[in-house]
Amino acid sequence: MSSFAPHITEPCLDLLPEEILDITLDKMQSAGIKPVEWRTLLYRRMNVPRIVSNYSFLVPDEDLNRASDLLEDIGLPRSTPSKFSLTVGGDMQAKGRFHCLKRSAIAALDQYIVLYPLSFATLSLSELSEKPTQYSELYRCSHILVPHPSAVYASLMRMMLRYPPHSTIWSILQADIAELVLYHLMGYTLETLPSEDDDDGDAESEDEHRRIDVAISTIREWGLRKERTEWEEWMGFALSSSVRGGPLCLPPEGTS
């Protein structure tokens, strides 16, 4: 018998973490709680090749306690982040409700469902839409709320404005945007990333310029099509700078 989720009454006792997740999200939705896909699962949807360690979701602020209680009721105990985790992860650790999904012999390999209040991500309901999903072959949770692509970038930049430059959480968010720019906006894959060892420099440069042009065009379109995202003009300048290889130029605090 598995050592995790002992209270989930499903026919199969040897459930994979993805299957436990599928069941849990279905139970949340059945209880009237609307989770929002966030961080690693969302980034993977946007073609960022991240390995899934934890499963992060946003829930409406007023439903956070109820959602956390539901996870405990079905056998996913809540864990308190260590002082080291709080130091390394900042508010990504402090603001989340960590519910253990799978224990490992090595604590660092434990897997969690992490719930955050929707307000933490600065997202509004108008920036979300329902998308099909497939977390496991159980197919219990068939749809999930997902931020529009432009809203993902906008929310991360809005979050960055809350923190001092180069602080722990600021650096985490900056790294997230850099990955999204590379794999989502510019369309690279692990196989097509430019390498210093490549001999065909001219062709590689031409390809990079083409990717930059496509990414800039997408950002401009977001600026014109503001109805789905709370997009501000400075966001387009900041992202365009990042696409061109420059710094992510955020406005000074209080001027956005």
Side-chain angles (χ1 to χ4, degrees):
M1 179 183 294
S2 298
S3 61
F4 54 95
H7 301 149
I8 291 185
T9 54
E10 295 297 319
C12 178
L13 295 177
D14 296 321
L15 296 174
L16 297 171
E18 295 83 2
E19 293 169 334
I20 299 273
L21 173 68
D22 199 359
I23 294 167
T24 302
L25 292 173
D26 176 65
K27 290 182 180 294
M28 289 174 64
Q29 292 175 339
S30 297
I33 301 169
K34 296 182 177 181
V36 179
E37 191 176 83
W38 201 45
R39 290 193 52 76
T40 298
L41 289 176
L42 173 60
Y43 298 164
R44 285 171 63 90
R45 183 185 290 271
M46 298 173 71
N47 300 323
V48 177
R50 278 198 177 184
I51 297 174
V52 178
S53 53
N54 295 328
Y55 301 88
S56 298
F57 294 89
L58 303 162
V59 296
D61 292 37
E62 63 272 17
D63 290 330
L64 182 60
N65 289 333
R66 190 160 64 97
S68 185
D69 289 344
L70 186 151
L71 265 61
E72 287 200 283
D73 288 344
I74 63 175
L76 305 181
R78 183 177 171 187
S79 301
T80 302
S82 66
K83 289 184 178 180
F84 176 76
S85 295
L86 290 170
T87 300
V88 172
D91 276 356
M92 285 299 179
Q93 294 286 324
K95 299 290 187 182
R97 304 282 183 93
F98 286 72
H99 290 267
C100 191
L101 190 63
K102 182 178 181 181
R103 296 283 184 194
S104 173
I106 303 173
L109 300 180
D110 290 349
Q111 287 186 291
Y112 296 88
I113 294 177
V114 191
L115 303 178
Y116 295 92
L118 185 63
S119 61
F120 177 54
T122 75
L123 284 164
S124 63
L125 294 178
S126 64
E127 295 178 302
L128 311 174
S129 61
E130 197 172 71
K131 298 291 184 182
T133 191
Q134 182 181 326
Y135 293 123
S136 79
E137 293 184 359
L138 296 180
Y139 305 113
R140 292 286 292 271
C141 175
S142 61
H143 289 78
I144 193 86
L145 287 175
V146 176
H148 305 307
S150 57
V152 176
Y153 293 92
S155 68
L156 292 173
M157 286 187 282
R158 290 193 297 258
M159 288 179 71
M160 288 180 72
L161 293 179
R162 293 177 170 179
Y163 298 93
H166 309 295
S167 62
T168 297
I169 188 71
W170 189 96
S171 298
I172 291 172
L173 296 169
Q174 183 189 46
D176 286 358
I177 291 176
E179 280 190 294
L180 286 164
V181 164
L182 190 66
Y183 294 106
H184 175 252
L185 274 177
M186 299 185 72
Y188 281 111
T189 66
L190 291 176
E191 291 74 26
T192 60
L193 281 174
S195 170
E196 294 181 359
D197 297 330
D198 289 342
D199 295 327
D200 198 357
D202 291 340
E204 186 176 288
S205 178
E206 182 178 339
D207 177 66
E208 182 178 12
H209 286 305
R210 179 188 62 79
R211 292 177 186 274
I212 289 173
D213 288 343
V214 171
I216 296 297
S217 176
T218 298
I219 294 168
R220 286 174 179 162
E221 184 179 351
W222 289 343
L224 296 173
R225 218 184 53 214
K226 297 179 181 179
E227 72 277 5
R228 302 178 69 183
T229 302
E230 296 179 14
W231 190 263
E232 299 179 54
E233 188 175 2
W234 65 264
M235 295 176 176
F237 288 120
L239 265 188
S240 296
S241 173
S242 180
V243 166
R244 294 188 176 102
L248 187 68
C249 300
L250 302 180
E253 185 178 1
T255 63
S256 63

